[in-house]
Amino acid sequence: MEDRLDRVRSLIRDVPDFPKPGILFKDITPMLGDAAAFAVVLDVLAERYASQGVKKILGVEARGFIFGAALAVRMGVGFVPARKPAKLPWRTDRVTYALEYGSDSIEIHKGSFAPGERVLVVDDVIATGGTAVAAVELARLQGAEVVGAAFVIELSFLDGRAKLPPGLDVFSVLRF
Ligand code: AMP
């Protein structure tokens, strides 16, 4: 498995100064374009959560949709999209979180989760952790039981996992 993950790692492209100066952007598109590498990522995630009673995956716009939706199909569970404000057509619940400058919000449709429903939060990258914290909060707002938060890439030097609620299981396929 380590060999296969080395290959996945080699297909993550570093793009300096995108979308703004000082950010080293982790571009997943070379990995997505490689059928075997994309499948390895899904295998790792599906195996890790196979016996945890997950009933739904909450994926965060936009790259969280790619992995979250594919993983949901692989695991035979439902998928819920968390979107930027004013994208979802029906009634929503919203959580607002702080950014370096200003704030951002994500929404899910009301009634996305049944009380006690076991949910896994999925996104491509955990950086500062703000987005993931908001996603966990949204699921809990609707009474879901969040079994964990899973990422393809963790930017360890930013220590985003420390922001997530104490006791929550946090997992990343690759750490940089
Ligand atoms: P954060 O809320 O700081 O943890 O940021 C996480 C969100 O921003 C994720 O949805 C990522 O897609 C995106 N993101 C943040 N930093 C990067 C980065 N260096 N490369 C790629 N995506 C990033």
Side-chain angles (χ1 to χ4, degrees), residues 93-148:
D93 285 320
R94 174 185 295 194
V95 166
T96 299
Y97 55 102
L99 298 175
E100 197 176 353
Y101 301 102
S103 67
D104 214 341
S105 304
I106 53 173
E107 300 183 338
I108 57 176
H109 273 145
K110 283 190 181 292
S112 292
F113 302 111
E117 196 164 38
R118 292 175 67 79
V119 175
L120 176 66
V121 170
V122 172
D123 203 357
D124 66 330
V125 173
I126 179 167
T128 65
T131 310
V133 169
V136 170
E137 223 174 288
L138 264 181
R140 287 183 171 174
L141 198 73
Q142 293 194 358
E145 162 97 24
V146 180
V147 307

Side-chain angles (χ1 to χ4, degrees), residues 150-168:
F151 307 91
V152 180
I153 294 168
E154 176 173 4
L155 303 180
S156 310
F157 59 97
L158 293 172
D159 202 20
R161 64 165 61 225
K163 273 221 193 86
L164 284 154
L168 186 81

